[in-house]
Amino acid sequence: MASSLIPAGDFRTSYAVDTTIFPTVTSRNFAIAGVVLCALAPFALNDYWMSMLIAIGIYGIAALGLNVLLGFTGQISIGHAAFFLFGAFTSAYLSSKMGVPAFFAIPLSGLVTALVGLIFGLPAARLKGLYLAIATLAAQYILLDFFARAEWFSGGSVPASAEPFSIFGYTFTGDHQYFYVVLAYVVVSFLLVTNMMRTRDGRALIAVRDHYLSAEIMGINLTYYRTLSFGIAAFFAGIGGALYAHYQLVVSYEGFGIERSVLFLAMVIIGGLGSVMGTLMGTAFVVLLPEAMEWLSAALRGGVIDQTLGLKNNITFVREIAIGVIIIAFLVFEPDGLAHRWHQIKAYWKFYPFSH
Amino acid sequence: MKITTLLGSAALALVLGASGAFAQSAIRIGHLADYSGGTSDVGTPYGQAVADTFAWINKNGGINGTKVDIETVDYGYQVPRAIAQYKKWTGSDKVAAIMGWGTADTEALTGFVAQDKIPFLSASYAGQLTDPTGAAGKAKAAPYNFFYGPSYSDALRAELTWAAEDWKAKGKSGAPKFVHMGANHPYPNAPKAAGEALAKELGFEVLPPLVFALTPGDYSAQCLSLKSSGANYAYLGNTAASNISVIKACKTAGVDVQFLGNVWGMDENAAKAAGDSADGVVFPLRTPVAWGGSAPGMKMVQEISKISDPSGNVYRPVHYIAGVCSAMYMKEALEWAAKNGGVSGENVKKAFYQKKDWVPAGLEGVCNPSTWTDKDHRGTLTVDLYRSKVSGATDGDLNDLMKKGTIKLEKVKTIQLPRKAEWLGW
């Protein structure tokens, strides 16, 4: 798809040029402009919008990990929320109980979560498809039960507290400042994964996804790459969780059940399997959809439709149903995800007015 | 075209600015409710009470003549929703205070409310919220969290105090056996350590806890364990729907045990759903009286109830009355703050420390006298224990069942716990 956008006469004469991160100069400029624009956002937006952007960033990093697993390696995990929470608790524990500054605690908890992910990824070496799904479901329940029992680690019924993020004695407080921490991690994470996909390891993951038997015949160690993919997925989930912990300053395992794991799957599928950029779009969609529905239901409340139908408090049920319907409609009409639609929009303007 | 757009946006800005100015003359507060989520069974009466009370306040002169602009949002017990809504309330035009709801939103927002200095009056009664300085060392300081009523831990302490007396009164010999039952979740686990510690102190034999999920299900296995363990007093830590499954299964299994409910685990609706298996369950109320009970303040509660039920016929469960009390404490705190430097979060917090044995005006006998200090947010240590009495089939309307007396809440005892420093924060 992307290759169709490269202008005629633009030939690649070396491998280095062929594997560049951004296929065209314009796409690179757009990416840089996007980051600059985000960096300026705190000057224009209020707390509410900053918290939305922070949520998209934090969940986007975690969803990126899941996309490496699901979209690039073709493995499934329905325990992603548990890894996210593990990262959050680890960072909270490191920062408040061990005195590790949040600056170091965040990457460290990514690594610790990656180790845990490797352990739970072991069944992936032997299992595929639905069987693997059930095995990862076990991870979700085992980890949540661990959090409930390990009071030294998670605080048990008392939420764990995390220290605020600070660097060189300067503490990042409030959404407007913390946003820059998240933005830095988003940029680094997305560049890392895009970069990984052009290395031998990245291509090996894709080979495992596309045809594992052929990949094995080509000399790719299936067990190694499948487990590695779990480790990478857990690493990013851990980073996302750690960022969440230092944003909220408290971590509770309330609300991190199976439904949150499914939400991560929704982000990846809606964004586009195997698309780095799509992950961010899918996350934005999943984070903003309930909010958009909330604005809509707030506008409806007390209006003509509300009064004629006598909705009152039931308006929230309508809101929840609408969210479900939109997701179903989305999957029916846009099965390849937002990334695919984005490419089509780009292609349309590229060939305008001769597109069909 | 451009000029019209500019003029249009300028006009819009003026209108928005003007409405903003109007909004500031009213006192803005937020209200998180759960009418549609996992805790909606008890969240609906409580949330309705808060909404009704503020509507009633606005009808009757507001806060020193100023109206309260309360925004009620049904967040469906979803943490991300609660956070987004909170950011909306603190984004541009900060709210003076928030009437919160359950464990999910209260825990997720503890860090934020302390940072933004916004008093958060929750209906989550976890012990760690009572420690505003963090001196107890059980959790991080929660300086802006408040709630009306005994904490989960204190309610269980009161039940155990009663159980020890009950054991003696019945003339039984030997050590009574106590067991904590509930899901492995922050809410049922909140009072576990406190309960088991006091049970040991009071001479109970504490059995290993029994786990059952927060959702309704088949809990025959748990009941058989309960039976074979020979427990005499069992604390049910979950919410109503799940507790009902257990007491029903245990009735079938023929378990002879005195169930002790928790504040959200048993009420009139739960007794109706459980039928005769709910007969005899002892549980704490946050108020000395239930709906229609004889207290001077009950008249005002019934007036408030007419806001959403003009007929005045609807029976309101215990959570409604607790909601009215919580909202009225907030009202009087806002009043004090308005008179003493304006309704900022810090002033509203200070307002909670002004009175000793505080009962909102007009609610005498309905709300237990409460005292908050800057070192101790345990408002009240008075626990009113009730017993549910079910004397027949519980089909039909709750209003009729309560009127006929098929379901009755019978007062057992009022326990006044000592304000022990070592019980603070857990």
Side-chain angles (χ1 to χ4, degrees):
Chain A
M1 209 12 109
S3 61
S4 67
L5 295 170
I6 294 164
D10 183 2
F11 299 115
R12 272 87 195 273
T13 49
S14 67
Y15 274 122
V17 177
D18 197 36
T19 56
T20 175
I21 288 183
F22 298 105
T24 60
V25 179
T26 326
S27 66
R28 190 199 307 148
N29 291 344
F30 261 104
I32 293 169
V35 173
V36 171
L37 208 66
C38 280
L40 294 175
F43 297 102
L45 302 176
N46 64 13
D47 264 12
Y48 171 63
W49 284 104
M50 291 321 294
S51 76
M52 286 291 115
L53 289 179
I54 288 173
I56 293 170
I58 288 174
Y59 295 131
I61 291 172
L64 180 68
L66 188 61
N67 211 348
V68 169
L69 186 71
L70 188 68
F72 289 110
T73 322
Q75 301 283 80
I76 193 163
S77 166
I78 39 181
H80 208 59
F83 293 115
F84 183 89
L85 194 55
F86 192 89
F89 275 128
T90 308
S91 207
Y93 180 76
L94 288 174
S95 73
S96 65
K97 297 240 170 91
M98 312 271 282
V100 179
F103 184 79
F104 298 109
I106 295 172
L108 262 178
S109 41
L111 290 176
V112 175
T113 315
L115 283 178
V116 177
L118 286 176
I119 297 170
F120 282 102
L122 285 178
R126 297 205 170 251
L127 300 176
K128 286 203 308 276
L130 285 175
Y131 299 94
L132 182 59
I134 299 301
T136 55
L137 189 63
Q140 170 87 43
Y141 283 100
I142 291 170
L143 284 177
L144 280 192
D145 202 59
F146 170 72
F147 299 139
R149 288 168 200 278
E151 280 186 28
W152 58 273
F153 178 65
S154 64
S157 63
V158 179
S161 61
E163 295 302 314
F165 187 91
S166 61
I167 181 168
F168 301 125
Y170 180 77
T171 308
F172 287 67
T173 47
D175 296 35
H176 284 71
Q177 294 178 11
Y178 194 74
F179 172 72
Y180 289 106
V181 181
V182 177
L183 182 65
Y185 268 96
V186 168
V187 172
V188 172
S189 308
F190 278 73
L191 279 179
L192 264 179
V193 170
T194 320
N195 192 45
M196 189 187 72
M197 284 308 141
R198 12 175 245 170
T199 61
R200 182 187 186 274
D201 292 335
R203 290 197 304 271
L205 293 180
I206 294 173
V208 170
R209 172 194 70 187
D210 288 346
H211 202 267
Y212 72 94
L213 208 55
S214 311
E216 200 171 17
I217 290 167
M218 276 160 42
I220 289 168
N221 185 340
L222 285 187
T223 310
Y224 174 76
Y225 280 107
R226 279 181 176 159
T227 322
L228 176 75
S229 184
F230 260 94
I232 295 170
F235 174 78
F236 285 111
I239 294 280
L243 287 169
Y244 178 82
H246 296 288
Y247 172 54
Q248 294 254 328
L249 306 178
V250 282
V251 187
S252 155
Y253 59 99
E254 174 89 44
F256 279 95
I258 180 90
E259 67 283 354
R260 195 65 82 92
S261 288
V262 172
L263 220 55
F264 278 122
L265 283 174
M267 290 173 189
V268 172
I269 294 168
I270 288 173
L273 289 171
S275 163
V276 174
M277 205 51 225
T279 309
L280 210 51
M281 294 180 196
T283 312
F285 184 88
V286 170
V287 170
L288 294 179
L289 180 66
E291 289 308 305
M293 287 296 126
E294 175 60 39
W295 308 327
L296 208 68
S297 59
L300 269 180
R301 210 162 279 140
V304 185
I305 302 174
D306 183 7
Q307 278 167 5
T308 25
L309 296 177
L311 290 170
K312 286 181 193 149
N313 288 336
N314 295 329
I315 220 159
T316 45
F317 291 102
V318 177
R319 179 186 73 191
E320 300 299 314
I321 293 167
I323 291 173
V325 169
I326 289 174
I327 290 179
I328 293 171
F330 193 88
L331 292 176
V332 170
F333 296 108
E334 203 70 71
D336 294 329
L338 284 168
H340 177 67
R341 174 60 52 193
W342 176 240
H343 278 301
Q344 283 184 325
I345 292 170
K346 272 205 297 192
Y348 176 83
W349 288 107
K350 192 88 196 165
F351 302 125
Y352 186 80
F354 301 112
S355 57
H356 49 85
Chain B
M1 159 84 187
K2 256 193 186 158
I3 290 167
T4 47
T5 324
L6 272 177
L7 280 175
S9 47
L12 192 69
L14 272 176
V15 170
L16 284 176
S19 65
F22 275 122
Q24 270 181 356
S25 64
I27 296 168
R28 278 185 78 225
I29 67 168
H31 174 208
L32 286 170
D34 180 16
Y35 299 150
S36 59
T39 58
S40 55
D41 53 344
V42 284
T44 308
Y46 184 89
Q48 188 68 59
V50 173
D52 283 356
T53 308
F54 278 100
W56 182 87
I57 290 166
N58 279 340
K59 237 184 169 180
N60 293 276
I63 308 286
N64 310 325
T66 317
K67 284 216 156 49
V68 182
D69 176 14
I70 180 170
E71 193 185 350
T72 301
V73 171
D74 175 8
Y75 78 110
Y77 211 67
Q78 293 171 36
V79 175
R81 279 256 160 86
I83 294 171
Q85 191 55 49
Y86 173 82
K87 293 291 174 183
K88 233 182 248 177
W89 283 332
T90 53
S92 41
D93 189 12
K94 253 192 197 180
V95 293
I98 295 173
M99 298 295 294
W101 171 234
T103 311
D105 53 308
T106 309
E107 289 191 350
L109 296 174
T110 317
F112 287 144
V113 294
Q115 213 173 43
D116 299 333
K117 300 188 171 158
I118 292 178
F120 191 92
L121 200 149
S122 63
S124 166
Y125 309 131
Q128 73 263 16
L129 301 173
T130 60
D131 183 7
T133 58
K138 304 283 178 190
K140 215 176 174 180
Y144 280 84
N145 284 90
F146 292 88
F147 59 74
Y148 161 74
S151 74
Y152 296 139
S153 308
D154 288 337
L156 177 52
R157 284 179 180 124
E159 286 181 311
L160 284 164
T161 312
W162 168 80
E165 290 168 11
D166 178 62
W167 185 255
K168 269 185 215 142
K170 282 184 181 151
K172 293 191 182 168
S173 59
K177 291 177 182 170
F178 168 73
V179 63
H180 182 101
M181 296 177 74
N184 227 339
H185 184 272
Y187 163 68
N189 279 343
K192 192 164 141 229
E196 292 183 346
L198 183 68
K200 269 184 204 138
E201 223 173 274
L202 290 171
F204 284 83
E205 184 188 330
V206 178
L207 303 172
L210 280 173
V211 176
F212 68 107
L214 264 179
T215 43
D218 175 15
Y219 298 123
S220 316
Q222 279 85 344
C223 288
L224 291 176
S225 315
L226 192 63
K227 196 174 182 180
S228 62
S229 71
N232 305 106
Y233 296 93
Y235 176 74
L236 295 172
N238 287 359
T239 43
S242 151
N243 290 344
I244 292 166
S245 302
V246 168
I247 52 179
K248 273 189 161 173
C250 289
K251 173 109 181 167
T252 317
V255 185
D256 178 30
V257 65
Q258 171 64 55
F259 282 117
L260 306 171
N262 71 78
V263 84
W264 298 112
M266 185 42 80
D267 57 35
E268 296 87 339
N269 284 313
K272 171 175 151 45
D276 59 348
S277 12
D279 191 42
V281 175
V282 169
F283 64 104
L285 257 60
R286 285 142 290 179
T287 50
V289 286
W291 184 251
S294 61
M298 188 46 73
K299 222 179 124 219
M300 187 161 137
V301 180
Q302 281 165 336
E303 281 305 308
I304 290 170
S305 162
K306 280 185 188 151
I307 294 280
S308 60
D309 166 44
S311 71
N313 290 330
V314 170
Y315 181 90
R316 301 286 192 180
V318 289
H319 311 305
Y320 188 90
I321 306 171
V324 170
C325 283
S326 307
M328 288 306 282
Y329 278 105
M330 182 56 87
K331 180 223 172 192
E332 297 201 349
L334 290 170
E335 259 171 9
W336 187 90
K339 280 187 196 149
N340 294 274
V343 279
S344 65
E346 279 162 296
N347 279 338
V348 175
K349 175 184 190 284
K350 240 185 259 166
F352 273 95
Y353 304 148
Q354 297 309 315
K355 286 188 191 163
K356 226 178 143 274
D357 295 324
W358 176 14
V359 177
L363 287 174
E364 290 78 16
V366 173
C367 309
N368 274 320
S370 300
T371 312
W372 286 275
T373 69
D374 57 355
K375 290 191 179 63
D376 187 345
H377 278 194
R378 287 177 290 182
T380 176
L381 288 156
T382 311
V383 186
D384 297 287
L385 296 178
Y386 274 72
R387 183 187 279 119
S388 58
K389 280 278 180 201
V390 181
S391 55
T394 52
D395 320 304
D397 192 41
L398 183 66
N399 293 330
D400 299 337
L401 292 173
M402 298 306 299
K403 223 175 259 167
K404 274 191 274 174
T406 318
I407 299 173
K408 257 195 243 164
L409 300 188
E410 183 187 272
K411 186 142 194 172
V412 178
K413 201 177 177 186
T414 301
I415 304 272
Q416 183 65 48
L417 291 169
R419 195 177 279 274
K420 284 191 186 173
E422 62 266 31
W423 281 356
L424 177 67
W426 66 298

